[in-house]
Amino acid sequence: AGSLMTTKHSQPQSTFAKSLTSTSTDTPYFKAAESTEIPSYVTKCPSNGLCSRLPPDCMTCNTNYSCIYGKPATFDCKVKPHVHCVDQNNLEQENFTINMTCQFCWQLATTDYVCTNSTNCMTVSCPRQRYNATCTVRDHIHCLGNRVFPKMLYCNWTGGYKWSTALALSITLGGFGADRFYLGQWREGLGKLFSFGGLGIWTLIDVLLIGVGYVGPADGSLYI
């Protein structure tokens, strides 16, 4: 009975072994294809640079959410596969630490992230309008939480109008409405033109209003 059991099981085993042998030439091919596939994040990672200066997409860090807000914090990090970096002694390393300020990404200074712009809101309205923007943290900045976040920002786009040009036109040719025409305010410009600058009163008022920035371009943009 024991030999019978051995005989019954020996044939499938040998058949399975043959199938492995017959496909063994294909197995290394698939392994090689997987190992040579380079992840997309590698293009953002400078080769043989300092590990501590790698962009966040090139590393995986143990986030310490118990750090004290606004205080310096140290995080243990490890480079992702296919990323090569060195330490201060030019020795390759995989595990390292980074120093950063304990704060969430949306709490960073405005110079540390880039946001989308809007050209559909008025910058000279009262109160000044805001718009919904999507902001992305710059690559060399480290912070807690999501690196892409929404934020309400003031309208700050420009249409190319110069404050100095508008003021110069208001002083020299304001009686003919040149300043209002330049700013795209055609109706006001025509009104000044046919009233000779409101007999000079409108001209003086516009010089003051443009000088303090109260009157701006008709499209709602800021002066440059």
Side-chain angles (χ1 to χ4, degrees), residues 27-46:
T27 303
Y29 172 79
F30 289 109
K31 286 184 178 180
E34 292 177 357
S35 61
T36 56
E37 183 179 355
I38 301 177
S40 58
Y41 61 79
V42 175
T43 57
K44 302 179 181 179
C45 308

Side-chain angles (χ1 to χ4, degrees), residues 4-188:
L4 181 61
M5 290 290 292
T6 304
T7 304
K8 288 183 178 181
H9 288 282
S10 62
Q11 185 173 359
Q13 289 178 355
S14 60
T15 304
F16 180 69
K18 289 181 180 179
S19 64
L20 287 179
T21 304
S22 61
T23 58
S24 60
T25 55
D26 296 333
T27 303
Y29 172 79
F30 289 109
K31 286 184 178 180
E34 292 177 357
S35 61
T36 56
E37 183 179 355
I38 301 177
S40 58
Y41 61 79
V42 175
T43 57
K44 302 179 181 179
C45 308
S47 180
N48 295 326
L50 288 176
C51 295
S52 58
R53 295 188 178 181
L54 285 174
D57 291 340
C58 307
M59 65 181 75
T60 303
C61 299
N62 296 326
T63 306
N64 179 16
Y65 287 100
S66 62
C67 60
I68 301 176
Y69 172 73
K71 300 293 183 180
T74 302
F75 295 87
D76 295 325
C77 302
K78 181 179 181 180
V79 294
K80 291 184 177 180
H82 302 283
V83 177
H84 302 281
C85 61
V86 296
D87 59 8
Q88 297 290 347
N89 298 321
N90 205 30
L91 298 177
E92 187 170 356
Q93 62 177 169
E94 294 184 0
N95 299 295
F96 58 96
T97 59
I98 60 172
N99 298 317
M100 55 175 277
T101 303
C102 180
Q103 59 184 347
F104 286 96
C105 294
W106 60 269
Q107 297 172 317
L108 291 170
T110 55
T111 55
D112 293 336
Y113 53 82
V114 179
C115 299
T116 56
N117 293 323
S118 174
T119 58
N120 297 321
C121 58
M122 302 291 289
T123 60
V124 293
S125 62
C126 186
R128 190 175 173 188
Q129 288 186 3
R130 295 177 179 237
Y131 68 97
N132 291 318
T134 301
C135 302
T136 305
V137 180
R138 297 184 185 274
D139 286 341
H140 65 283
I141 302 297
H142 298 276
C143 55
L144 302 176
N146 296 326
R147 299 185 60 81
V148 179
F149 53 90
K151 200 160 190 174
M152 291 288 293
L153 299 178
Y154 284 110
C155 302
N156 60 353
W157 66 285
T158 177
Y161 296 94
K162 292 184 177 181
W163 172 82
S164 58
T165 302
L167 183 60
L169 289 174
S170 183
I171 295 173
T172 57
L173 300 174
F176 301 99
D179 50 353
R180 293 283 183 165
F181 285 126
Y182 171 72
L183 296 175
Q185 302 175 8
W186 296 98
R187 286 179 295 183
E188 292 82 352

